[in-house]
Amino acid sequence: MPAERNAFKLGLTMIVFCALFVGILVFFAPRGGGDVTYQVRFPHHALTTVLKPGGLVRCGGDTVGTIDALELQEMKDPSTGTTGLFSVVAFRADSKLGLRRDCRITPVGPLLGEGGQLVIQDRGDGDPLPPGSLIEGNPGADLTNLMQTLADQLNAKDPTSLLAMVRMQLDSGDPKSMLGKILRSLDDINAVTASLSQQFDHREKETLVAKLHGIMDNINEATSLLRDQMDQTKDAAAMAKINRMLDTLQGGLRTAVTLLNDNREPLNETIASIRNTSRILEKDIAERIAQQLDVSNQASLMAKVHVSIDRLGRSLADMNAITGAAREVVVLNKEQLSGMISNFKETSDHLKGAALDIRRSPWRLFYQPTMDEVAEANVFDAARAFSEAATRLNDAAARVQAIQAASGPQAPLPDEQLNRIRDQIEQTFNDFTKAEAALWKELKIK
C-alpha cells in the first residue's frame, strides 16, 4: 500500500509538471499568425549602431522579432539616383504588426554593451508591406553619432563649428563680434554716465544741474517780484496801481452817468438830428450819387466816363495804326532815307566849306585870281578834300559805333548790313587815299 500511494503521488506530480510546462510553452510562444521576413537598409555612413544576428526587434516596448543577418551591399539611392553603399539588415517580425510602406524603423544601441536593437517607432499609414519588402530605415542619433557631432562642433580649427563661432563672438578684439559690440556699448554707457555725472555737478556753471539751479533762481526771483507786485500795501506795486486805476475808472463812469442823466434831453435832440441827417443822406444825396453811377443813364457821370474811355481807346488804336504805318514807311524806305541823310550830310559839308572860303576870302566873288592864287587855291582845295575824306571816314566809324550800340554788345549785325558798311568804309578809305595823294601832289611832297 505505501508503495502504491507513493507511485500515485509521483504520477500526479509528473502530470502537474507536464501541465505547467505546456502552460509555460503556450504563454511564451509567439502569438499571431507567424513571423514575416523583411529587409531594412541604412546608409553605411549613418549606421554606427552595432547590430548582430539574434538581436531583438522591438515595438511599443514588446519584443516582436529578431535580426537574422546584416551585410553591406551596393544599391541605388532613389533620392539622388546614384549608387551607394548601404547596410542591409534582414529581420523577422510578427505578421500581426501589419507594417506599412511609410513605417519608421530606427536602430538603437544600448548605453553599455555591443548588441543593438531595431525599434519600430511607427508602423505607418500607407499600403501594407508584402513579405520580403525593402524598407528605408531611419538612422537614429546614437551615442557614437552624438559624440562625433559633439567633436565636430568642438573642433576649433573648423570655422563653421559651434566652438569657432562662439570663440569668434567672444573675441574682444573684433569690433564685429558680440563681445566687441557689448564692450563698445559699455564704453558708450560709461561715456554717457560720465557725461551725466559731469552734467549733475552743480559746481560747474555749464552743466545741466547748474543751469537748472539758475533757472530755479530766476523763477524764484520772478515769483518774488510777482508777489511784491501783488502786495496792495505798496503804492508802487502793480496791484495797488490797478486798484487806483479801477477807482479812477469807477469815478469816471459815475461822472459819465451823471452827465448822461443831466443832459438826457440835449442828447435825445442830437440823436434825432443825426437820424434826420442820415435820412437826408440816404434819400437825397445817395440817390443822386446812384443816378450819377448808373451806366444805363447816358447823362450820368459814369456813362460819360465810359464814353471818354472808349474814345481814348479808339484814339490809341489810331495812334498805333499811325506808328505802324510810319514804321512800315521807314522800313520800306530805309535805304533811301540813309542815302538822303548821307547826301544831306555831304551837302552840309560842302556848304560849310564854301562858307569858310567866302568868309576867309570874300573878294573871290568879284575878283579874277592870278596863276599863283589859282595854285594856292588848288592846294587849299586838296587840303579841303583831304579834310572832307577824313571827316567821312570819321562819320563811317561813328556810324559803325552807333549801329553797334543800337544792336547791343551781344547781338551780331546782319551780314547784309555788315557788307554794306564794309563797302562804304572801303569807298571812304579810297577817297581818303586819293585826297591824301592829291594833297601831297599839290604840296609837291613825295
Side-chain angles (χ1 to χ4, degrees), residues 12 17 84 124 132 177 180 186 241 245 250 327 340 375 386 418 423:
L12 184 61
F17 274 115
S177 64
L186 291 177
K241 293 179 180 179
M245 181 180 64
Q250 185 177 3
R327 186 185 301 109
M340 291 175 61
F386 178 78
L418 285 175
D423 295 339

Side-chain angles (χ1 to χ4, degrees), residues 371-431:
M371 296 300 295
D372 294 335
E373 292 174 348
V374 170
E376 184 180 358
N378 291 332
V379 172
F380 288 155
D381 291 338
R384 184 182 301 109
F386 178 78
S387 176
E388 291 176 354
T391 302
R392 285 195 295 271
L393 189 62
N394 291 332
D395 292 340
R399 185 179 179 187
V400 171
Q401 292 179 357
I403 293 175
Q404 183 66 34
S407 301
Q410 302 297 331
L413 295 176
D415 295 337
E416 182 180 357
Q417 191 172 4
L418 285 175
N419 294 329
R420 186 169 61 254
I421 294 173
R422 188 184 299 111
D423 295 339
Q424 292 178 359
I425 292 175
E426 289 180 356
Q427 183 64 33
T428 303
F429 188 75
N430 292 330
D431 295 340

Side-chain angles (χ1 to χ4, degrees), residues 68-377:
D68 291 339
L70 174 64
E71 61 180 357
L72 297 175
Q73 296 181 12
E74 289 283 344
M75 303 180 71
K76 185 176 182 181
D77 189 355
S79 61
T80 60
T82 59
T83 302
L85 185 61
F86 288 87
S87 297
V88 181
V89 181
F91 67 94
R92 288 182 294 107
D94 192 351
S95 60
K96 186 176 63 176
L97 290 175
L99 296 179
R100 311 302 174 115
R101 292 189 180 276
D102 55 347
C103 63
R104 295 180 59 192
I105 301 177
T106 303
V108 176
L111 187 60
L112 297 175
E114 296 183 359
Q117 301 176 358
L118 288 178
V119 177
I120 302 174
Q121 295 182 340
D122 187 3
R123 74 166 191 169
D125 297 326
D127 298 333
L129 279 173
S133 298
L134 182 62
I135 304 171
E136 296 294 335
N138 184 24
D142 58 357
L143 184 60
T144 304
N145 286 334
L146 293 176
M147 293 297 294
Q148 183 63 36
T149 304
L150 182 61
D152 293 338
Q153 293 298 326
L154 295 180
N155 185 9
K157 297 181 180 180
D158 186 5
T160 61
S161 64
L162 178 62
L163 181 60
M165 295 178 66
V166 171
R167 292 180 60 183
M168 182 177 63
Q169 293 298 327
L170 295 180
D171 186 6
S172 61
D174 187 5
K176 295 182 179 180
S177 64
M178 181 176 64
L179 184 58
K181 293 180 180 179
I182 292 174
L183 292 176
R184 189 164 63 251
S185 299
L186 291 177
D187 292 337
D188 295 337
I189 292 173
N190 290 332
V192 170
T193 54
S195 178
L196 287 176
S197 62
Q198 183 180 2
Q199 291 296 327
F200 281 98
D201 188 4
H202 65 280
R203 294 172 295 179
E204 297 290 337
K205 294 184 179 180
E206 297 299 327
T207 60
L208 180 62
V209 175
K211 293 179 180 180
L212 288 175
H213 278 287
I215 292 172
M216 295 304 298
D217 293 338
N218 294 330
I219 292 174
N220 291 332
E221 186 177 357
T223 54
S224 178
L225 292 175
L226 183 61
R227 184 184 61 186
D228 293 338
Q229 292 297 326
M230 293 294 108
D231 190 0
Q232 300 181 6
T233 59
K234 296 181 179 180
D235 295 336
M239 186 58 68
K241 293 179 180 179
I242 291 173
N243 289 329
R244 289 196 299 270
M245 181 180 64
L246 291 176
D247 294 337
T248 304
L249 180 60
Q250 185 177 3
L253 291 175
R254 188 181 296 110
T255 303
V257 171
T258 304
L259 290 174
L260 289 175
N261 291 328
D262 294 340
N263 299 282
R264 180 172 298 176
E265 292 299 329
L267 288 175
N268 292 332
E269 294 175 357
T270 303
I271 293 173
S273 299
I274 293 173
R275 184 182 297 110
N276 293 328
T277 303
S278 63
R279 186 182 301 109
I280 293 171
L281 289 174
E282 181 180 359
K283 291 184 177 181
D284 297 336
I285 298 176
E287 184 177 357
R288 293 179 181 178
I289 293 174
Q291 291 177 358
Q292 292 298 323
L293 295 179
D294 188 6
V295 182
S296 59
N297 187 8
Q298 297 181 358
S300 65
L301 178 63
M302 187 59 67
K304 294 179 180 179
V305 169
H306 277 282
V307 172
S308 301
I309 291 174
D310 294 336
R311 292 178 179 176
L312 179 61
R314 288 194 297 270
S315 299
L316 291 177
D318 296 337
M319 290 295 295
N320 290 332
I322 292 171
T323 55
R327 186 185 301 109
E328 184 177 1
V329 170
V330 171
V331 171
L332 294 177
N333 299 281
K334 184 176 181 180
E335 298 295 334
Q336 290 81 354
L337 291 175
S338 298
M340 291 175 61
I341 293 173
S342 299
N343 295 331
F344 182 76
K345 178 68 171 56
E346 185 176 358
T347 302
S348 64
D349 292 338
H350 288 315
L351 292 175
K352 180 180 178 181
L356 290 174
D357 290 339
I358 293 172
R359 186 176 61 181
R360 184 172 56 250
S361 303
W363 49 267
R364 289 186 178 184
L365 296 174
F366 307 101
Y367 177 71
Q368 182 70 28
T370 62
M371 296 300 295
D372 294 335
E373 292 174 348
V374 170
E376 184 180 358

